[in-house]
Coordinates of all heavy atoms in Angstrom, one line a residue:
L437 N 7.1 27.4 -23.5 CA 7.3 26.4 -22.5 C 7.5 27.0 -21.2 O 7.9 28.1 -21.0 CB 8.5 25.5 -22.9 CG 8.4 24.8 -24.3 CD1 9.5 23.8 -24.4 CD2 7.0 24.2 -24.6
K438 N 7.3 26.2 -20.1 CA 7.6 26.6 -18.8 C 9.1 26.8 -18.6 O 9.9 26.3 -19.4 CB 7.1 25.6 -17.8 CG 5.6 25.5 -17.7 CD 5.2 24.4 -16.7 CE 3.7 24.4 -16.6 NZ 3.2 23.3 -15.7
P439 N 9.6 27.5 -17.6 CA 11.0 27.7 -17.4 C 11.7 26.3 -17.0 O 11.2 25.7 -16.1 CB 11.1 28.7 -16.2 CG 9.8 29.3 -16.1 CD 8.8 28.3 -16.6
F440 N 12.7 26.0 -17.8 CA 13.4 24.7 -17.5 C 14.9 25.0 -17.6 O 15.4 25.9 -18.3 CB 13.1 23.6 -18.5 CG 11.7 23.1 -18.4 CD1 10.8 23.3 -19.5 CD2 11.2 22.4 -17.3 CE1 9.5 22.8 -19.4 CE2 9.9 22.0 -17.2 CZ 9.0 22.2 -18.3
R441 N 15.7 24.1 -16.9 CA 17.1 24.1 -17.1 C 17.4 23.0 -18.1 O 17.0 21.8 -17.9 CB 17.8 23.8 -15.8 CG 17.7 24.9 -14.7 CD 18.6 24.7 -13.5 NE 18.5 23.3 -13.0 CZ 17.5 23.0 -12.1 NH1 16.6 23.9 -11.7 NH2 17.4 21.8 -11.7
Y442 N 18.1 23.3 -19.2 CA 18.4 22.4 -20.2 C 19.8 21.9 -20.1 O 20.7 22.7 -19.9 CB 18.2 23.0 -21.6 CG 16.7 23.3 -21.9 CD1 16.1 24.5 -21.4 CD2 15.9 22.4 -22.5 CE1 14.8 24.8 -21.6 CE2 14.5 22.7 -22.7 CZ 14.0 23.9 -22.3 OH 12.7 24.2 -22.5
D443 N 20.0 20.6 -20.3 CA 21.3 19.9 -20.3 C 21.8 19.7 -21.7 O 21.5 18.7 -22.3 CB 21.2 18.6 -19.5 CG 22.5 17.9 -19.4 OD1 23.6 18.6 -19.6 OD2 22.5 16.7 -19.0
G444 N 22.5 20.7 -22.3 CA 23.0 20.6 -23.6 C 22.1 21.2 -24.6 O 21.1 22.0 -24.3
D445 N 22.3 20.9 -25.9 CA 21.5 21.5 -27.0 C 20.2 20.8 -27.1 O 19.9 19.7 -26.6 CB 22.3 21.4 -28.3 CG 23.6 22.3 -28.3 OD1 23.6 23.2 -27.5 OD2 24.5 22.0 -29.1
V446 N 19.3 21.5 -27.9 CA 17.9 21.0 -28.1 C 17.6 20.9 -29.6 O 18.1 21.7 -30.4 CB 17.0 22.0 -27.4 CG1 15.5 21.7 -27.8 CG2 17.2 22.0 -25.9
V447 N 16.9 19.9 -30.0 CA 16.4 19.7 -31.3 C 14.8 19.6 -31.3 O 14.3 19.2 -30.2 CB 17.0 18.5 -32.1 CG1 18.5 18.6 -32.2 CG2 16.6 17.2 -31.3
V448 N 14.2 20.0 -32.4 CA 12.7 19.9 -32.4 C 12.4 19.0 -33.6 O 13.0 18.9 -34.6 CB 12.1 21.2 -32.6 CG1 12.4 22.1 -31.4 CG2 12.5 21.9 -33.9
N449 N 11.2 18.3 -33.5 CA 10.6 17.5 -34.5 C 9.4 18.3 -35.0 O 8.5 18.7 -34.3 CB 10.1 16.2 -33.9 CG 9.5 15.2 -34.9 OD1 9.0 15.6 -36.0 ND2 9.6 13.9 -34.6
A450 N 9.5 18.8 -36.3 CA 8.6 19.7 -36.8 C 8.4 19.6 -38.3 O 9.3 19.1 -39.0 CB 9.0 21.1 -36.5
D451 N 7.2 20.0 -38.8 CA 7.0 20.1 -40.2 C 6.7 21.6 -40.6 O 5.6 22.1 -40.3 CB 5.8 19.2 -40.6 CG 5.4 19.3 -42.1 OD1 6.2 20.0 -42.8 OD2 4.4 18.7 -42.5
A452 N 7.7 22.2 -41.1 CA 7.6 23.6 -41.6 C 7.9 23.7 -43.1 O 8.4 24.7 -43.6 CB 8.6 24.5 -40.8
G453 N 7.6 22.6 -43.8 CA 7.7 22.6 -45.2 C 6.6 23.4 -45.9 O 5.7 23.9 -45.3
L454 N 6.6 23.4 -47.2 CA 5.5 24.0 -48.0 C 5.3 25.5 -47.6 O 4.2 25.9 -47.5 CB 4.2 23.2 -47.9 CG 4.3 21.8 -48.4 CD1 2.9 21.1 -48.1 CD2 4.7 21.7 -49.8
G455 N 6.4 26.2 -47.4 CA 6.3 27.6 -47.2 C 6.1 28.0 -45.7 O 5.9 29.2 -45.4
G456 N 6.1 27.0 -44.8 CA 6.0 27.3 -43.4 C 7.3 27.7 -42.8 O 8.4 27.7 -43.4
E457 N 7.2 28.1 -41.5 CA 8.4 28.6 -40.8 C 8.1 28.5 -39.3 O 7.0 28.7 -38.8 CB 8.7 30.0 -41.1 CG 9.9 30.6 -40.4 CD 10.2 32.0 -40.8 OE1 10.8 32.3 -41.8 OE2 9.8 32.9 -40.0
I458 N 9.2 28.1 -38.6 CA 9.2 28.1 -37.1 C 10.4 28.9 -36.6 O 11.5 28.6 -37.1 CB 9.2 26.7 -36.5 CG1 7.9 25.9 -36.9 CG2 9.3 26.7 -35.0 CD1 7.9 24.5 -36.4
R459 N 10.2 29.8 -35.7 CA 11.3 30.5 -35.0 C 11.1 30.3 -33.5 O 10.0 30.2 -33.0 CB 11.3 32.0 -35.4 CG 11.8 32.2 -36.9 CD 11.7 33.7 -37.2 NE 12.1 34.0 -38.6 CZ 13.3 34.4 -38.9 NH1 14.3 34.6 -38.0 NH2 13.5 34.7 -40.2
C460 N 12.3 30.4 -32.8 CA 12.3 30.2 -31.4 C 13.1 31.4 -30.8 O 14.1 31.7 -31.3 CB 12.9 28.9 -31.0 SG 12.9 28.6 -29.2
E461 N 12.5 31.9 -29.7 CA 13.3 32.9 -28.9 C 13.4 32.4 -27.5 O 12.6 31.6 -27.1 CB 12.7 34.3 -29.0 CG 11.3 34.5 -28.3 CD 10.8 35.9 -28.5 OE1 11.5 36.7 -29.2 OE2 9.7 36.2 -28.0

Side-chain angles (χ1 to χ4, degrees):
L437 305 190
K438 291 178 180 178
F440 292 116
R441 293 190 308 277
Y442 293 86
D443 182 15
D445 291 340
V446 171
V447 296
V448 299
N449 186 330
D451 180 2
L454 300 178
E457 180 182 279
I458 297 177
R459 289 178 182 261
C460 179
E461 66 183 3

